[in-house]
Amino acid sequence: MTTTPRAIVLVEGHSDRVALLTLARRAGRDLAGEGVQVLPMGGITNVRAFVSRLGPDGLGVPLVGLYDGAEEAQLRRGLAAAGLVEALDPDGPSHLGFYRCSADLEDELIRALGVERVEEVIAAAGDERSLRLLTGMPAQRGWTREAVLRRFLGVRSGRKARYAALLVDALEPACVPEPLAAVLARV
């Protein structure tokens, strides 16, 4: 027998899920034990299907979410198409509990930690050589350090999720990115 969750957090991908679960664990929370599921949707294009099935017109489970800033228009349309027309209002997504990362999760974590600290985490994880190789490639010359780090985090399968946990673990409590803190405060 499966029980209906108390709340569901919709995220775009697996790394977002890892980051939220890691942050919750650091705060002494067990989201699953609290009846909160964190579900990766496999991209923002699936928000309508998830909200239709799980939200007010489906199972009726309270929903919150995390999304990338560049995907806001698609999120708003998907939420509205699933019956949450308030998403079209100026503050609609946040009022509904959907919080925007400026660019994406990795950008939020890099800004919260700072470039030097992210590079320290990468070195401690044994990937300093890979980062150095990427930095030296002609295509990345002239890129900002932040841009190179974002590329590094997304270039290899599984790396985003691995570093989501490592970077969240490296955060000082006062430096938690606002969208992640807002999601956890809502559930």
Side-chain angles (χ1 to χ4, degrees), residues 6 9 20-21 24 29-38 184 187:
R6 177 180 64 78
V9 179
L20 286 169
L21 292 175
R29 295 184 63 187
D30 171 13
L31 293 182
E34 296 173 23
V36 176
Q37 287 185 1
V38 181
L184 290 181
V187 294

Side-chain angles (χ1 to χ4, degrees), residues 140-169:
Q140 280 72 45
R141 289 192 190 129
W143 285 19
T144 65
R145 288 170 69 196
E146 292 86 352
V148 171
L149 287 172
R150 288 185 67 215
R151 175 76 175 145
F152 172 82
L153 295 172
V155 76
R156 182 173 292 157
S157 178
R159 191 178 275 169
K160 276 186 173 186
R162 177 179 181 225
Y163 278 96
L166 293 172
L167 295 174
V168 167
D169 274 336

Side-chain angles (χ1 to χ4, degrees), residues 76-143:
R76 287 174 179 271
R77 286 190 304 271
L79 292 174
L84 300 175
V85 294
E86 184 180 344
L88 300 175
D89 294 344
D91 291 328
S94 62
H95 188 263
L96 290 168
F98 286 78
Y99 300 97
R100 177 177 57 96
C101 292
S102 294
D104 55 23
L105 172 69
E106 293 75 27
D107 176 65
E108 292 287 344
L109 293 172
I110 291 167
R111 282 189 297 111
L113 287 164
V115 169
E116 291 81 14
R117 183 68 180 117
V118 172
E119 290 173 348
E120 290 171 6
V121 170
I122 290 168
D127 282 334
E128 185 175 29
R129 182 175 184 274
S130 293
L131 176 60
R132 201 171 45 251
L133 287 171
L134 178 67
T135 302
M137 291 183 174
Q140 280 72 45
R141 289 192 190 129
W143 285 19

Side-chain angles (χ1 to χ4, degrees), residues 9-11 14-26 29 31 38 65-66 105 164 168 179-184:
V9 179
L10 298 176
V11 295
H14 183 62
S15 61
D16 303 302
R17 180 178 189 276
V18 169
L20 286 169
L21 292 175
T22 302
L23 187 58
R25 176 191 48 78
R26 283 193 59 196
R29 295 184 63 187
L31 293 182
V38 181
L66 188 67
L105 172 69
V168 167
L180 284 91
V183 166
L184 290 181

Side-chain angles (χ1 to χ4, degrees), residues 10 46-56 58 63 79 82 84 98:
L10 298 176
N46 297 316
V47 71
R48 178 184 180 180
F50 276 82
V51 172
S52 294
R53 188 172 64 244
L54 303 170
L63 301 174
L79 292 174
L84 300 175
F98 286 78

